[in-house]
Amino acid sequence: MKAFLILEDGTVFTGTSIGSTREIISEIVFNTSMTGYLEVLTDPSYAGQAVVMTYPLIGNYGITPDMESARPWPDGYIVRELSRMPSNFRCQGSIQDFLTKHDIPGIAGIDTRALTKILREKGTMNGMITTNENYNLDEILPKLKEYTTGNVVDKVTCSEKNVLKGSGKKVALMDFGAKNNIAKSLNARGCEVTIYPAHTSAEEILGANPDGIMLSNGPGDPKECTAIIEELKKLYASDVPIFAICLGHQLMALANGADTHKMKYGHRGGNHPVKDLSTGRVYISSQNHGYVVDTDTLDPKVAKPAFVNVNDGTNEGLEYVGKNIFTVQFHPEACPGPQDSSYLFDRFIQMMGGNQ
């Protein structure tokens, strides 16, 4: 069956329908990872977006147990070529069946290089995936321009708290759309991790006397999370060590008077170089974000830049002055991507006083 990807600038790509045949409007973003497509599909940070995979062949090892949440989150999936015969000893099915099962529409067989160049040159834009061959651009384009992702954190956070048992430090993980490997990375270091829904009050978290607080990644515009930001102000005022990733990094900055803004096309992939400003060392990182902290709005008495993106100079991390708080824009838990910066979890353990 034919499928069409219609961008808000009027560009139309024609390909083959994969997964569900329902029609969707979403923000179109691209990911440059060469592997790890299942982790991308199951990353809650993609809620409210349709993902273009720039690597041309997707699905060759099928669906495996390497999921970062219980289900896929993107609104849509866009690929050049979908593997017809996945092969891997851990394979549990095909991407096609996976998308169909979870009612996610997609399109294959389009020139994803040309599409990515458009998004890089013009910036991220909204689009529609449809199987309707009688589509009317005059009706569709206004709808595309009006679409916004809104507050999607409420959609992806857990509904109740749960605990990963451990014999070491007790960590409260605020779930704004957390990838599984954040909790696993802490648990593997002996931590007992209690995962809290996004709107849990600071009083409840501090009342449990955690040794440290982890703020997770998540989807959408951080400025939409006004209630969460108010709770983070209270957590900041405590003396509990805090480590934040991605959306958590942005929310902590907003809670302390800094500003964020939307990037032209964001950083999404497993090959982004970041520089540690304290050592000068460069790490290759996994990233997935469309917003960034504006360091010009930082109060130098509150926080200072700790990491910078080598490609475009944007902020990749902050260290808070006089506080046991540091935050990063990239993903030290990887999945997908390199594990170069996983040492940051060890740094967090040390901030909490080690696991003794």
Side-chain angles (χ1 to χ4, degrees):
M1 180 184 294
K2 277 187 179 180
F4 306 91
L5 172 63
I6 303 167
L7 300 181
E8 67 176 89
D9 69 348
T11 304
V12 179
F13 290 88
T14 303
T16 304
S17 173
I18 56 175
S20 170
T21 57
R22 70 185 177 92
E23 186 173 278
I24 60 105
I25 293 176
S26 190
E27 182 180 51
I28 312 299
V29 301
F30 63 88
N31 184 293
T32 58
S33 296
M34 296 178 68
T35 186
Y37 55 79
L38 183 59
E39 290 94 328
V40 170
L41 274 169
T42 54
D43 181 348
S45 293
Y46 284 111
Q49 298 174 329
V51 183
V52 183
M53 300 301 294
T54 62
Y55 192 71
L57 178 62
I58 296 296
N60 53 333
Y61 53 87
I63 298 300
T64 60
D66 309 307
M67 294 174 63
E68 282 302 299
S69 63
R71 49 159 284 190
W73 289 102
D75 291 336
Y77 203 53
I78 303 160
V79 300
R80 175 69 183 90
E81 182 179 349
L82 197 65
S83 174
R84 291 169 293 172
M85 298 178 64
S87 178
N88 186 279
F89 73 99
R90 300 162 74 232
C91 179
Q92 299 173 345
S94 70
I95 283 192
Q96 170 76 301
D97 292 340
F98 187 67
L99 294 175
T100 301
K101 175 183 175 182
H102 293 281
D103 198 28
I104 296 175
I107 183 169
I110 69 168
D111 188 342
T112 50
R113 176 174 293 188
L115 172 56
T116 301
K117 287 178 71 175
I118 289 172
L119 297 177
R120 281 180 59 90
E121 290 167 7
K122 297 185 177 181
T124 296
M125 63 180 79
N126 297 331
M128 172 185 283
I129 297 175
T130 181
T131 56
N132 178 13
E133 296 189 33
N134 299 313
Y135 61 83
N136 185 324
L137 282 182
D138 292 335
E139 294 179 359
I140 291 172
L141 295 184
K143 294 179 182 178
L144 298 185
K145 287 179 168 57
E146 291 170 5
Y147 174 82
T148 60
T149 56
N151 184 352
V152 275
V153 169
D154 292 353
K155 178 181 177 183
V156 300
T157 189
C158 59
S159 57
E160 57 186 15
K161 73 176 182 180
N162 57 86
V163 180
L164 286 178
K165 292 293 185 181
S167 58
K169 295 297 181 182
K170 295 183 178 180
V171 177
L173 170 57
M174 292 196 72
D175 177 15
F176 306 137
K179 292 164 60 184
N180 286 342
N181 206 44
I182 293 177
K184 287 180 180 178
S185 295
L186 292 166
N187 196 234
R189 289 164 171 80
C191 296
E192 177 171 296
V193 184
T194 303
I195 304 167
Y196 289 90
H199 289 284
T200 304
S201 69
E203 288 79 7
E204 180 178 345
I205 291 171
L206 295 173
N209 295 315
D211 296 301
I213 298 169
M214 183 94 218
L215 310 180
S216 84
N217 64 292
D221 183 345
K223 290 180 183 176
E224 295 276 351
C225 303
T226 53
I228 294 172
I229 291 168
E230 291 304 310
E231 297 306 310
L232 295 191
K233 291 178 181 178
K234 301 172 190 175
L235 295 181
Y236 172 84
S238 74
D239 292 324
V240 180
I242 298 175
F243 178 25
I245 292 173
C246 199
L247 180 65
H249 154 77
Q250 297 164 7
L251 293 175
M252 182 55 76
L254 288 169
N256 284 282
D259 196 12
T260 58
H261 64 261
K262 189 171 186 177
M263 305 174 75
K264 186 176 181 181
Y265 48 81
H267 296 154
R268 297 174 182 88
N271 51 4
H272 292 263
V274 296
K275 184 176 183 178
D276 184 334
L277 295 177
S278 65
T279 64
R281 184 171 180 178
V282 174
Y283 299 89
I284 303 301
S285 67
S286 175
Q287 302 206 12
N288 174 14
H289 63 104
Y291 293 83
V292 67
V293 173
D294 186 346
T295 52
D296 291 339
T297 64
L298 278 176
D299 182 345
K301 295 178 182 178
V302 174
K304 61 181 181 179
F307 288 87
V308 66
N309 188 287
V310 176
N311 288 335
D312 61 13
T314 54
N315 179 255
E316 291 284 356
L318 297 173
E319 188 163 344
Y320 285 78
V321 179
K323 290 280 188 177
N324 275 332
I325 300 175
F326 74 100
T327 68
V328 294
Q329 181 63 77
F330 52 94
H331 288 265
E333 83 285 355
C335 290
Q339 299 177 353
D340 295 29
S341 55
S342 61
Y343 74 93
L344 292 174
F345 287 102
D346 298 316
R347 178 180 167 186
F348 183 44
I349 302 292
Q350 292 169 4
M351 283 171 54
M352 293 187 289
N355 259 337
Q356 302 302 319

